[in-house]
Amino acid sequence: MTPNANLPKRNILALDGGGVRGIITLAFLEHLQEQLEQSGKGSIHQHFDLIGGTSTGSIIAAGLSLGLSPKDLTRFYMRLGPKVFRKPRFRLRGLQSVFDARMLKAQLQDIIGDAKLDSDRIQTNLAIVAKRMDTGSPWIVHNNPKGAFWQDAPDGSFIGNRNYSLAKLVRASTAAPYYFAPELLEIVTGETPGLFVDGGVSPHNMPGLALLLLVTVPEYGYSWDTGLDRLDIISIGTGTFRQRTKKSRFGRAPAASMAIKAVSSVIADCEAHNLSIMQSLGACKHAWHLNSEIGDLSDFQLGPAPLFGFSRYNVGLEHQWLKDELDITLTAKELALVRDFTDPAGMQMAFDIGKLSAAKQMSTMKF
């Protein structure tokens, strides 16, 4: 019998970024909620000890932590997409962001209100990932009172995380460069605010690995135990596909367009890298195919024993994957529409694909 044998298992829910494709995440979460209810485990915010997200995942994580159900958030997203991802007239492409952030702020205010990070409305541990550009550092802002930056600094050198507006934190996490203007957050009273953009341009668009470190590195204040009987992590994506560019189009493409494609490709590479680490360290209940050389690493363990249970749920937005896994055939135009994280016209189709995937991938879940 180990010294900590009576400690409960901790459960983490990690939610990726992906714009309007967050509707895919919600399709999985609706199914997850049904499984929890059938198992007598209550709601998602009651089952998970920590919920964290990046970008669109931060919106969903915040909503879940406030007690909203996946169905509530699905309805919200179906309203959010067409309102926020609407290209306004008279915007100078390249000089101004593509979308007006004021509508996004208004929508976030509707579901989050004036809650701060220390609000008793937040019903579980919560982590939001953003990127602070003026210091060049990713921020994982969380609501653990034992965290180093929770309280105001006695010398006034920083404002404690507990005082941050949750709506502003989520807005910072969703401020995708080029598409939305950055968000300013006051870090030190009376001084120039910090400049924040989407957490997706850090290594943590898929935040599972970051959340693992958050709860295990002692300085963060959690110090949770690892082991199959101690820690379980569920990671949910927003759809994945290879970022390909034809050589024939490379020379003719505008420089700004190529830069955006390159950034998107790096985000996808970080996802694959983080996923390979998570599947190497954890015991995979539902593993995800990584590439043709290493497969899903289901027969490989980095270390003498798995550090946690791990499940990765996602949708492959590739013709072959959709045909093989779901017997779905999309036209090239339909697939491009579902892939586009800024076009709400593909949301219903993406949600339907997510529902089919969730029913298949989560059919063997046990709690």
Side-chain angles (χ1 to χ4, degrees), residues 158-192:
F158 61 84
I159 297 170
N161 289 356
R162 65 181 303 170
N163 298 305
Y164 287 171
S165 158
L166 179 55
K168 284 182 71 67
L169 285 174
V170 172
R171 159 69 183 114
S173 181
T174 58
Y178 178 75
Y179 297 101
F180 291 102
E183 180 71 11
L184 299 176
L185 293 177
E186 188 178 30
I187 309 301
V188 182
T189 303
E191 295 193 7
T192 303

Side-chain angles (χ1 to χ4, degrees), residues 34-151:
E34 292 171 4
Q35 297 285 79
L36 286 170
E37 290 174 354
Q38 291 171 9
S39 302
K41 299 293 183 180
S43 299
I44 286 176
H45 72 270
Q46 295 170 323
H47 178 72
F48 288 95
D49 301 280
L50 170 66
I51 303 175
T54 303
S55 194
T56 194
S58 76
I59 299 176
I60 298 170
L64 293 172
S65 77
L66 293 169
L68 295 175
S69 72
K71 287 187 181 295
D72 292 332
L73 289 166
T74 296
R75 288 190 288 269
F76 169 73
Y77 256 68
M78 287 300 187
R79 298 194 307 270
L80 175 79
K83 289 182 178 179
V84 172
F85 290 91
R86 180 178 58 192
K87 296 176 184 177
R89 300 177 183 177
F90 312 117
R91 290 185 84 78
L92 300 175
R93 183 71 68 90
L95 297 177
Q96 292 176 290
S97 54
V98 177
F99 303 106
D100 190 338
R102 290 176 295 181
M103 182 58 71
L104 176 57
K105 288 183 178 182
Q107 293 298 307
L108 292 176
Q109 198 69 33
D110 278 349
I111 65 165
I112 297 174
D114 59 359
K116 295 183 178 180
L117 204 57
D118 67 353
S119 172
D120 57 9
R121 290 176 54 205
I122 300 175
Q123 301 174 46
T124 189
N125 290 297
L126 173 66
I128 304 295
V129 182
K131 176 68 177 288
R132 186 175 175 186
M133 293 298 292
D134 57 308
T135 62
S137 54
W139 276 37
I140 304 171
V141 186
H142 57 102
N143 64 338
N144 186 352
K146 295 180 180 179
F149 300 107
W150 182 249
Q151 303 286 356

Side-chain angles (χ1 to χ4, degrees), residues 276-335:
S276 66
I277 294 173
M278 294 295 285
Q279 294 188 179
S280 300
L281 295 174
C284 294
K285 302 174 184 178
H286 188 276
W288 189 260
H289 180 80
L290 296 164
N291 61 50
S292 57
E293 186 170 12
I294 62 175
D296 62 8
L297 296 177
S298 56
D299 297 324
F300 174 76
Q301 188 68 59
L302 185 62
L307 296 179
F308 49 88
F310 182 65
S311 300
R312 173 65 172 175
Y313 300 111
N314 206 354
V315 169
L317 295 178
E318 305 273 8
H319 286 296
Q320 197 62 52
W321 190 95
L322 293 168
K323 181 62 178 175
D324 292 346
E325 296 294 324
L326 304 176
D327 196 25
I328 290 176
T329 300
L330 298 183
T331 65
K333 184 177 181 180
E334 289 172 331
L335 185 62

